[in-house]
Amino acid sequence: MIILDEPTAAFDALAEYNLYKSFNELIGDKSAIYISHRLSSTRFCDHIAMFKEGEIVEYGSHEELLLKKGAYAEMFEIQAQYYKDKEASENAG
């Protein structure tokens, strides 16, 4: 088993992308627990457990959790808004 706690915190965007792209190859046949506050980095995970105050409040795949429109979906949209706002600003200029 491999436990990774915020493993891409010091990565630039390209290095982070390359890690996600090759994650399964890097892990091999081991199980991995991937801890992150950036929900964009959870998209490649098979199962996601969202915690609040030490309790699991939601569990499922990225797509399942978005469809629930609960705490995970809300947090994902809040974080994604930064990228959407930035992209809109860059396209306007």
Side-chain angles (χ1 to χ4, degrees):
M1 176 171 282
I2 297 173
I3 299 174
L4 302 164
D5 187 359
E6 301 286 358
T8 62
F11 285 17
D12 63 33
L14 183 57
E16 187 175 28
Y17 169 77
N18 287 327
L19 174 75
Y20 301 153
K21 191 170 83 172
S22 60
F23 189 78
N24 287 336
E25 184 180 315
L26 292 169
I27 297 303
D29 63 351
K30 298 173 184 72
S31 294
I33 296 175
Y34 187 93
I35 302 166
S36 181
H37 291 88
R38 291 194 310 212
L39 300 187
S40 61
S41 67
T42 62
R43 296 183 71 161
F44 71 92
C45 298
D46 295 329
H47 304 284
I48 299 165
M50 183 169 186
F51 288 79
K52 186 173 184 177
E53 298 179 10
E55 302 286 329
I56 295 177
V57 293
E58 291 188 18
Y59 182 84
S61 69
H62 174 74
E63 292 78 17
E64 290 169 342
L65 295 176
L66 288 180
L67 288 173
K68 284 184 178 182
K69 298 183 188 279
Y72 179 90
E74 180 181 5
M75 184 69 69
F76 185 82
E77 283 302 315
I78 289 168
Q79 291 181 12
Q81 194 61 45
Y82 167 77
Y83 297 106
K84 292 176 186 175
D85 288 346
K86 183 176 181 181
E87 185 177 287
S89 296
E90 290 171 354
N91 289 335

